[in-house]
Amino acid sequence: MHIVKYLRPIWRGCSMVLLLATLTCSTVWAQGAAPAASGGGDAAAGEALFKNNCAACHAASDEVVVGPGLKGVMTRVPNKDWVYKWVKNSSAVIASGDAYGNQIFNKYNKLQMQSFPDLQNADIDNILAYVESAATAAPTADQAKADGQGGATAAPAESGLSTQYFTIILVALLVVLALVLLVLIMIISLLTKFLSNRKDLSDEDRELLEQRTDIGKVLQSAVVKGAVLIIAVLLLGKIGLDSVMRIGIAQGYAPKQPISYSHKLHAGEYKINCAYCHTSVYKGKNASIPSANICMNCHSVIKNSSPEIKKLYTAIENNQPIEWIRVHNLPDHAYFNHSQHTNVGGLACQNCHGDIEKMEVVEQVAPLTMGWCIDCHRKTEVNTKGNAYYDKLVAIHASKEPMKVATIGGIECSKCHY
Ligand code: HEC
Ligand code: HEC
Ligand code: HEC
Ligand code: HEC
Ligand code: HEC
Ligand code: HEC
């Protein structure tokens, strides 16, 4: 009586269902995680491409960064072919006399969009799919901050929708698989109970039966191990990808300094002027960090027995500078000048550094990305008060819109990049 043999196909069935469920799970998840995932993960692939190539100049919303926000772009441009040509080489499109190309080129102050000759049409499709799905998705906290408005929805493109359907189908499949698995497990447990009560079972069959119902053994099976491996790889991939996206952005960085110097105390409570210590902030490119001698103007008498102040004395006696840890740091290829902003522009430090006078430890408040610089240049009107140099410019612009930093060249690449 080899009735146990009939259990085999059911066990196999269970394994298959488990495997399928794992794969489906992975695909659903990979849609939002690893861009290289197979299947129709086009929006996910597009997101990575967009962030690496386009996000420096474009938002997926309708917010203008350097170039126009790409939300609803397919409703503006002539057709998809135009987008392919434009992304690969926009200057060629403009040079060909293309009407729409010239129109936006002029609208954006003749800013040259970078060329991407290496992008394939499929890549560009993926980017467009991502842009549409980002525009139709409910706005995240970040997006809401960026475009300040709710999830007003443009007519969704097919590609954006098709990824949504794909996800829905996969999730439905997952539910069905889970139900099938449940039913199979119920059959197995019923059969097992029934069989183990039978007297005419051979020893061989009984052993097989126990083996297959032992949870420990099942957990060690290849199917379960494979599933765990797939999930682990995906998890690591997602973590890796997320951290790569943030490389170079140090917003919120607030290192502990060698002396517990407090801006809250000095600049806040005692109202010491920023330029008393950051001596060149109105005159030069760099704001400068004060030397211990500046501190000594006061601390030669104030609190000079405090252990923190003793560190100042030690530094001066050993003729060694205090090793303050740098908080803000732009990459070398970007040029930023303080006097241009604080003196000529008349901007308060707090615009870019936040409420330093309330900080116990200095923290980088602004993202210091290119989009951040450009965004302010687009929004801020040039401060022309008492500046003879600007008088002529103002006269020229008097009849037109308000003179923004962007109008006087504040978004030309060469102003910020050597
Ligand atoms: C260096 C900045 C920059 C980068 C990077 C950039 N663009 Fe642009 N893009 C622009 C500017 C500026 C315009 C406006 C037209 C002009 O001035 O040339 C524009 C226009 C466009 C337009 C037309 C938009 C409309 O509303 O008609 C599309 C589409 C576009 N870009 C796609 C892309 C894609 C896709 C990428 C990434 C692969 C990308 N751009 C990367 C600067 C950039
Ligand atoms: C009594 C001297 C003193 C005064 C006054 C002062 N600072 Fe500072 N500041 C320092 C010192 C010392 C550091 C370096 C240690 C640190 O980061 O806390 C520093 C660091 C900074 C940094 C971070 C520099 C970096 O590494 O990126 C900023 C930004 C800054 N100060 C802005 C201000 C502003 C704005 C004010 C006025 C509201 C001000 N400071 C007033 C002494 C001063
Ligand atoms: C214009 C005067 C002035 C200057 C310049 C000045 N401080 Fe102070 N500092 C003070 C005063 C006032 C106090 C508060 C003393 C108290 O709590 O009684 C203080 C307190 C401190 C304390 C806290 C000491 C403790 O143990 O409570 C530290 C640390 C300190 N300062 C560091 C510095 C450093 C570093 C510099 C130079 C970058 C500096 N100060 C420059 C006036 C100054
Ligand atoms: C328009 C934005 C902006 C304004 C306004 C501004 N800063 Fe900065 N600040 C920056 C940036 C960007 C950096 C990083 C510069 C770099 O890494 O080259 C920086 C760096 C610094 C540093 C570090 C040392 C250095 O020079 O790199 C100090 C100190 C500082 N700022 C103080 C000030 C003070 C004090 C004021 C006001 C009088 C001020 N800043 C106004 C953007 C600004
Ligand atoms: C808070 C607003 C603000 C931010 C943020 C800002 N800027 Fe500016 N920037 C200005 C203003 C205002 C001027 C105009 C100064 C003047 O009157 O000439 C200016 C002018 C400039 C100019 C000279 C432009 C010209 O045509 O002469 C350069 C270069 C520049 N900024 C670089 C940067 C860089 C790099 C960053 C980012 C690290 C940055 N700015 C961030 C407000 C800002
Ligand atoms: C107002 C100043 C400013 C202007 C104008 C500007 N950039 Fe940038 N750019 C920056 C800053 C600051 C960074 C560094 C950002 C960072 O570290 O995240 C940067 C970074 C970059 C990078 C490195 C990639 C990245 O996102 O970090 C490229 C490429 C670039 N800029 C190209 C351009 C081109 C092309 C133009 C002209 C359309 C341009 N930039 C105009 C300030 C500017």
Side-chain angles (χ1 to χ4, degrees):
M1 174 86 218
H2 285 288
I3 198 164
V4 171
K5 294 245 158 73
Y6 297 113
L7 266 174
R8 258 207 189 126
I10 307 185
W11 280 324
R12 291 249 162 82
C14 268
S15 308
M16 285 306 292
V17 171
L18 252 178
L19 196 67
L20 271 176
T22 315
L23 282 178
T24 317
C25 257
S26 324
T27 324
V28 171
W29 190 23
Q31 287 244 292
S38 62
D42 42 8
E47 179 171 10
L49 284 168
F50 179 83
K51 288 198 169 139
N52 288 335
N53 297 303
C54 323
C57 300
H58 291 289
S61 61
D62 47 18
E63 187 200 19
V64 173
V65 183
V66 177
L70 290 185
K71 180 174 167 186
V73 65
M74 289 314 290
T75 59
R76 299 192 291 268
V77 297
N79 53 48
K80 229 176 198 176
D81 257 352
W82 183 91
V83 179
Y84 296 152
K85 285 195 198 123
W86 175 266
V87 173
K88 286 173 190 167
N89 189 348
S90 70
S91 20
V93 174
I94 294 163
S96 76
D98 177 81
Y100 182 72
N102 278 287
Q103 182 199 326
I104 51 167
F105 183 56
N106 289 328
K107 185 169 164 201
Y108 287 87
N109 304 322
K110 296 199 195 291
L111 264 178
Q112 196 74 62
M113 175 168 139
Q114 201 175 322
S115 292
F116 298 91
D118 297 336
L119 284 185
Q120 305 299 316
N121 289 356
D123 295 332
I124 297 171
D125 285 341
N126 290 347
I127 294 175
L128 292 173
Y130 163 70
V131 167
E132 288 305 334
S133 67
T136 46
T140 62
D142 276 350
Q143 278 170 322
K145 232 193 295 164
D147 61 6
Q149 56 178 24
T153 318
E158 319 144 38
S159 43
L161 265 185
S162 73
T163 37
Q164 274 179 358
Y165 280 137
F166 189 65
T167 312
I168 293 172
I169 292 170
L170 284 179
V171 171
L173 197 64
L174 205 61
V175 173
V176 172
L177 286 176
L179 286 177
V180 172
L181 193 65
L182 201 71
V183 171
L184 284 180
I185 289 175
M186 269 159 60
I187 295 178
I188 289 183
S189 71
L190 271 178
L191 271 181
T192 310
K193 222 180 246 161
F194 169 71
L195 283 175
S196 40
N197 286 339
R198 283 182 68 133
K199 304 253 146 58
D200 58 348
L201 213 59
S202 71
D203 283 350
E204 195 193 337
D205 280 345
R206 200 171 285 283
E207 200 182 319
L208 191 64
L209 199 62
E210 269 159 18
Q211 196 185 12
R212 288 307 171 103
T213 45
D214 180 346
I215 291 290
K217 291 223 168 85
V218 171
L219 279 183
Q220 281 175 6
S221 72
V223 178
V224 174
K225 277 186 189 154
V228 169
L229 192 71
I230 292 179
I231 290 173
V233 166
L234 275 171
L235 192 67
L236 285 179
K238 182 165 166 58
I239 293 172
L241 206 74
D242 285 352
S243 53
V244 164
M245 291 297 188
R246 275 190 55 83
I247 282 181
I249 301 184
Q251 196 167 14
Y253 179 52
K256 190 175 181 312
Q257 300 290 351
I259 298 179
S260 65
Y261 164 79
S262 160
H263 278 83
K264 190 175 172 209
L265 183 70
H266 291 83
E269 279 174 44
Y270 289 98
K271 301 212 161 30
I272 307 174
N273 190 300
C274 311
Y276 181 90
C277 291
H278 302 293
T279 48
S280 55
V281 71
Y282 292 107
K283 291 176 280 189
K285 176 183 181 301
N286 293 314
S288 80
I289 296 294
S291 70
N293 289 326
I294 294 183
C295 313
M296 276 311 173
N297 289 346
C298 297
H299 285 291
S300 54
V301 284
I302 296 172
K303 277 252 171 174
N304 53 16
S305 57
S306 141
E308 289 299 309
I309 302 299
K310 283 254 160 62
K311 290 184 191 165
L312 284 172
Y313 280 80
T314 324
I316 289 176
E317 277 160 20
N318 297 340
N319 205 7
Q320 264 179 344
I322 300 158
E323 294 183 359
W324 300 111
I325 297 167
R326 184 161 187 148
V327 185
H328 303 74
N329 201 359
L330 288 175
D332 289 345
H333 58 76
Y335 172 83
F336 177 84
N337 187 318
H338 268 96
S339 64
Q340 208 163 35
H341 290 86
T342 56
N343 194 351
V344 184
L347 290 173
C349 320
Q350 285 74 5
N351 280 305
C352 303
H353 294 300
D355 293 333
I356 292 269
E357 69 281 0
K358 292 185 190 144
M359 292 180 196
E360 206 68 61
V361 177
V362 176
E363 175 186 333
Q364 179 178 322
V365 171
L368 257 57
T369 55
M370 173 160 146
W372 173 73
C373 312
I374 300 262
D375 193 46
C376 182
H377 287 184
R378 275 194 192 282
K379 288 183 187 147
T380 313
E381 269 180 55
V382 178
N383 173 13
T384 55
K385 249 179 247 150
N387 190 330
Y389 172 78
Y390 281 136
D391 286 349
K392 265 197 194 139
L393 266 180
V394 172
I396 297 171
H397 277 276
S399 58
K400 295 190 193 156
E401 296 164 359
M403 195 166 82
K404 302 273 170 68
V405 182
T407 328
I408 61 166
I411 54 177
E412 278 166 25
C413 317
S414 57
K415 290 275 170 73
C416 304
H417 297 291
Y418 306 98

